Amino acid sequence: MRAEGVSPWGTLVFEVMSQQTPIPRVQPIWERWMRDWPGPADLAAAPTADVLIAWDRLGYPSRALRLQQCAAAVAARPGGRVPADMDELMALPGIGPYTASAVSCFAYHRRVAVLDTNVRRVLARTLDGREFAPSSSPGRRERSRAESLLPDDGEACADWNVALMELGALVCDQRAPRCEACPLASECAWLAAGRPAAEVRPRGQAWAGTDRQARGRVMASLRAAHVEGRPLTRADALSAATLPGADPAQASRAVDGLVADGLAVADPVTRDLGLPG
DNA sequence: AAAACGGGGAT
DNA sequence: ATCCCAGTTTT
């Protein structure tokens, strides 16, 4: 979390959860998570099934798996402490450039730019006069420019990064920017240019009918079966994975994929499915 | 460079 | 009923 009194590990957990999920949905899960598993060693020692159930529907259950792997990696470090350096952070499972920079800055007040999609959009609009950042991930140019804007003091950097992230999330909205409420309106190149629309709109992912939806249905059944203390038969798993009007091969692909990803385990004899121990 | 990977909320 | 959102890993 980006607040006082939160441990570096708590910050890391919060930022991992926030990777694809809005803060309001993350907050209650994070509170309970940190109560149950305050430190990396606690999470590393927990049954993976409990971790996946606590993760609930935050999205992409493989991220919960990696977070537990990350906990083990951190617990194995000297003092069991979260590293402060970008390179050491990025070497941890599930930690990429975004989370590494967020932890480095928010937990350790390192002078690092935190470039999430909201910040990239704010900079693209105010400085480049473009509606969106170039669609790919931030490159050298973007990062060095963002760094050149940072305050000198590390603590001020944390405030700066949080401010830009919030501005992008709440005011400089992707679809409906509230320029009338924007503190940067008078200096914004995009607003000055009349808010020109980008040639290519970023295309969202399809959801209905995808393998991801089928996998999500199976995960929901696995969680329910686990809390009821029963296994899930393969037939029931396939049934859960069968979407209306879908390719018949999709269900088995979804179930087998979950097993391959370590999100489900299959009994070698009965083929019953369960969450990993 | 591109695809795979959930699930909810706004419109 | 549609559209939209995000960072990490794998291919």
Side-chain angles (χ1 to χ4, degrees), chain A residues 88-118:
Chain A
E88 292 179 81
L89 281 162
M90 279 196 285
L92 297 169
I95 309 297
Y98 164 75
T99 310
S101 63
V103 170
S104 189
C105 181
F106 299 148
Y108 294 111
H109 294 155
R110 294 294 179 92
R111 191 171 174 279
V112 176
V114 181
L115 283 182
D116 74 351
T117 186
N118 295 311

Side-chain angles (χ1 to χ4, degrees), chain A residues 27-271:
Chain A
Q27 189 74 33
I29 306 278
W30 180 84
E31 301 281 357
R32 188 155 40 103
W33 191 286
M34 296 308 294
R35 184 198 67 203
D36 291 347
W37 305 301
D42 305 309
L43 182 62
T48 300
D50 293 351
V51 174
L52 291 171
I53 287 168
W55 186 261
D56 197 35
R57 283 170 295 192
L58 278 187
Y60 301 136
S62 50
R63 293 196 291 128
L65 230 44
R66 292 197 200 103
L67 181 55
Q68 193 181 28
Q69 293 161 0
C70 179
V74 170
R77 289 177 52 86
R81 280 186 299 273
V82 175
D85 288 343
M86 286 288 291
D87 290 340
E88 292 179 81
L89 281 162
M90 279 196 285
L92 297 169
I95 309 297
Y98 164 75
T99 310
S101 63
V103 170
S104 189
C105 181
F106 299 148
Y108 294 111
H109 294 155
R110 294 294 179 92
R111 191 171 174 279
V112 176
V114 181
L115 283 182
D116 74 351
T117 186
N118 295 311
V119 174
R120 296 182 64 213
R121 186 174 57 249
V122 169
L123 297 181
R125 286 177 180 174
T126 55
L127 300 180
D128 300 329
R130 316 175 68 213
E131 188 178 18
F132 303 123
S135 59
S136 58
S137 46
R140 285 283 162 237
R141 306 232 78 82
E142 221 178 313
R143 178 158 291 282
S144 66
R145 178 175 72 177
E147 281 169 7
S148 73
L149 299 170
L150 290 172
D152 292 330
D153 175 62
E155 216 159 323
C157 279
D159 291 340
W160 170 267
N161 283 320
V162 170
L164 279 188
M165 291 167 76
E166 300 250 315
L167 184 68
L170 303 175
V171 177
C172 197
D173 186 85
Q174 157 101 217
R175 254 186 303 187
R178 303 171 47 226
C179 299
E180 68 286 352
C182 181
L184 297 178
S186 64
E187 334 171 31
C188 178
W190 185 59
L191 180 57
R195 292 166 50 162
E199 305 78 15
V200 290
R201 316 285 305 178
R203 185 74 190 119
Q205 294 176 342
W207 164 244
T210 59
D211 283 17
R212 289 181 359 265
Q213 186 182 28
R215 288 165 55 107
R217 300 262 259 251
V218 178
M219 286 304 298
S221 295
L222 284 168
R223 284 191 294 259
H226 185 92
V227 301
E228 292 166 23
R230 58 174 170 85
L232 189 71
T233 66
R234 182 171 177 88
D236 284 346
L238 290 171
S239 168
T242 300
L243 272 22
D247 171 3
Q250 183 177 57
S252 51
R253 195 166 63 233
V255 171
D256 295 341
L258 289 174
V259 173
D261 290 347
L263 290 164
V265 293
D267 185 294
V269 178
T270 66
R271 306 184 79 191

